[in-house]
Amino acid sequence: MLVVGARPQLIKSAPLVREILDNHHGLNLDIIHTGQHYDKEMSAVFFEELHLPQPSANLKVGSGSHAKQTAMMMSRLEPFMIATRPDIVLVPGDTNTTLAAAVVAAKLCIPLAHLEAGLRSGDMNMPEEVNRILTDHCSSFLFAPTRTAISNLEREGLGRYAYLTGDTNADALRILAPIVTKMEKAIMKRHQLVSQNYVLVTVHRPSNVDDPTRLARILAALKFVSKTRRIVFPVHPRTRARLAKLKAFDKETKEKLLIRPQGFIETLVLLKNACCLLTDSGGMQKESFMVHTPCLTLRSSTEWPETLAGGANRLVASPEELPRLITKIAFDQSVRHRLKTLRNPFGDGHASSRIAKIIQATRILGVSLQTCN
Ligand code: UD1
């Protein structure tokens, strides 16, 4: 049973779902969607684009406080796990969906596999850090994307459950590369963009958007940058809701800067051609590294320290620093050239096949459970 609910989970799971369905591995797959993300452009669009089969159930949990959202997911997931008693529950990433499914499976003594295990930002103020740590400590299979993740798991005494598989996001980029190339020209034309001539922006973390003063400071920086360089900002629903309440945010700026959330292929094209990415997303820091676009991360910590190598990604605490840093990157092509020479720490794009083989082998060899021994 694969449990998903939020946009990045669909992207990370897609290569593994295709691997299991196309090459079978003797496994049946039941997909459950918690409904954490429910807008078409945050969920349905990815099922279509990534050729994912429809989930057997959507629990329609929607939004709410962390406790309410997670609790509702748990109480709605439990009957499904009891009824179908899956051999293994697979949870991707670090969202509230991940945590809810992990706790339910562990309490029912169902072997749990964590896709993207072992990430640590060291910042317990991030809800995702709490979700990651708890999920890893309930899991019997820890599919770690990088060597750093393996070291983190070993440090916490979880080494015997850990497998270095590579990152399924790298698989997604490898699989989609031909279609990204094919669609590139049309997508750039549709957005009336010139390659290397715009900044791609994604900002949605509570630490950046929930405090109106902080959000206003970020917008002021973007407005300043937009005088000399185009900004392309696909807006996450959380950010959209916060912006609507922001009085200083005028209609003109909105029309100039913001666009709707984009599909994955569209996003990869926008990312590949941007002069730099400004983000607070976890996944996009890594994707920008892999497509050789310099990244500025509007956070004080990262769960992907590998991306900091060679100045490919830079943590920026204060929005006021952005105009200077963006101008520097935009004029300094050497960063992009350097990025092309860096080793890709996220694997060879074949993580899914390794993971499917490990899951398949456990059906023959039996599972050593971390919980309920
Ligand atoms: C979640 C994940 C985060 C991930 C992000 C990607 C957690 C704790 N966080 O954050 O790790 O980076 O997804 O998008 O799980 N909303 C809509 N339409 C939707 C979905 C959400 O309007 O389709 C609104 C909700 O009303 C809510 C807000 O967006 O107020 C935030 O949604 P939520 O599910 O709480 O978390 P994300 O911020 O999306």
Side-chain angles (χ1 to χ4, degrees):
M1 177 185 284
L2 167 70
V3 185
V4 291
R7 175 171 66 175
Q9 295 181 300
L10 303 175
I11 295 165
K12 295 184 227 278
S13 311
L16 181 56
V17 170
R18 291 296 355 146
E19 174 68 30
I20 290 174
L21 295 180
D22 297 347
N23 300 326
H24 212 263
H25 296 280
L27 303 168
N28 295 315
L29 188 66
D30 181 14
I31 303 179
I32 307 276
H33 195 307
T34 61
Q36 175 170 353
H37 285 173
Y38 42 88
D39 287 351
K40 183 173 188 289
E41 56 203 1
M42 295 295 285
S43 177
V45 83
F46 296 97
F47 279 87
E48 286 161 26
E49 217 179 9
L50 303 169
H51 305 291
L52 289 168
Q54 284 306 307
S56 62
N58 188 319
L59 309 181
K60 295 198 165 33
V61 164
S63 29
S65 70
H66 285 276
K68 275 194 194 149
Q69 191 181 51
T70 313
M72 206 184 286
M73 286 173 190
M74 286 173 65
S75 64
R76 292 185 187 178
L77 272 169
E78 191 180 44
F80 279 94
M81 290 198 200
I82 291 173
T84 59
R85 200 76 209 172
D87 293 318
I88 190 162
V89 168
L90 183 65
V91 290
D94 55 14
T95 69
N96 288 342
T97 292
T98 314
L99 176 66
V103 174
V104 175
K107 296 277 177 98
L108 291 173
C109 298
I110 298 172
L112 178 71
H114 188 198
L115 184 66
E116 206 180 76
L119 304 196
R120 298 291 181 266
S121 68
D123 179 2
M124 286 296 270
N125 288 316
M126 280 179 76
E128 292 82 0
E129 184 77 352
V130 178
N131 294 347
R132 282 177 203 127
I133 293 174
L134 295 176
T135 302
D136 282 342
H137 283 261
C138 296
S139 297
S140 301
F141 296 90
L142 295 165
F143 298 130
T146 62
R147 286 185 194 286
T148 316
I150 290 279
S151 306
N152 292 338
L153 293 168
E154 283 169 349
R155 201 175 321 112
E156 293 176 24
L158 295 173
R160 64 180 280 226
Y161 303 103
Y163 301 83
L164 180 60
T165 56
D167 193 320
T168 57
N169 238 156
D171 298 16
L173 263 60
R174 177 184 61 78
I175 294 164
L176 292 173
I179 183 147
V180 166
T181 307
K182 194 170 152 210
M183 305 280 290
E184 199 161 357
K185 216 169 153 192
I187 291 172
M188 293 295 283
K189 197 169 166 205
R190 183 156 66 237
H191 290 276
Q192 297 176 313
L193 289 170
V194 176
S195 190
Q196 307 297 315
N197 213 8
Y198 63 94
V199 180
L200 180 65
V201 179
T202 77
V203 182
H204 74 277
R205 290 209 171 264
S207 57
N208 277 326
V209 304
D210 283 2
D211 170 9
T213 315
R214 169 101 183 159
L215 184 56
R217 285 168 61 204
I218 295 171
L219 273 179
L222 293 181
K223 261 169 110 169
F224 188 82
V225 174
S226 74
K227 287 182 191 160
T228 51
R229 197 159 293 269
R230 180 119 177 242
I231 302 275
V232 180
F233 186 173
V235 186
H236 183 283
R238 169 187 285 278
T239 312
R240 193 193 313 140
R242 303 299 182 270
L243 284 173
K245 289 186 197 153
L246 209 64
K247 294 214 170 55
F249 188 54
D250 55 280
K251 198 163 168 262
E252 192 199 326
T253 316
K254 187 174 164 183
E255 276 161 15
K256 199 168 159 199
L257 300 187
L258 310 183
I259 59 172
R260 308 284 308 169
Q262 302 292 302
F264 190 46
I265 292 164
E266 198 111 353
T267 303
L268 289 179
V269 169
L270 293 176
L271 181 58
K272 197 176 153 194
N273 287 282
C275 73
C276 80
L277 169 71
L278 167 64
T279 193
D280 59 8
S281 149
M284 287 196 70
Q285 292 173 57
K286 185 178 52 180
E287 285 158 7
S288 69
F289 187 97
M290 288 191 273
V291 302
H292 311 129
T293 297
C295 178
L296 296 173
T297 297
L298 205 48
R299 281 167 45 183
S300 50
S301 65
T302 179
E303 61 279 27
W304 295 108
E306 299 84 355
T307 60
L308 302 174
N313 181 17
R314 207 173 146 162
L315 299 177
V316 185
S318 160
E320 285 71 29
E321 285 185 74
L322 291 173
R324 182 182 62 82
L325 290 171
I326 289 173
T327 310
K328 194 169 161 220
I329 289 176
F331 286 107
D332 183 2
Q333 283 297 311
S334 69
V335 183
R336 190 177 283 269
H337 292 311
R338 200 164 55 240
L339 262 162
K340 287 186 182 158
T341 66
L342 294 174
R343 187 186 69 85
N344 179 358
F346 304 108
D348 58 2
H350 294 278
S352 304
S353 129
R354 278 182 209 105
I355 293 168
K357 282 181 190 144
I358 296 164
I359 297 175
Q360 183 187 27
T362 63
R363 286 170 58 90
I364 304 162
L365 302 173
V367 178
S368 159
L369 278 181
Q370 191 181 170
T371 53
C372 308
N373 268 329

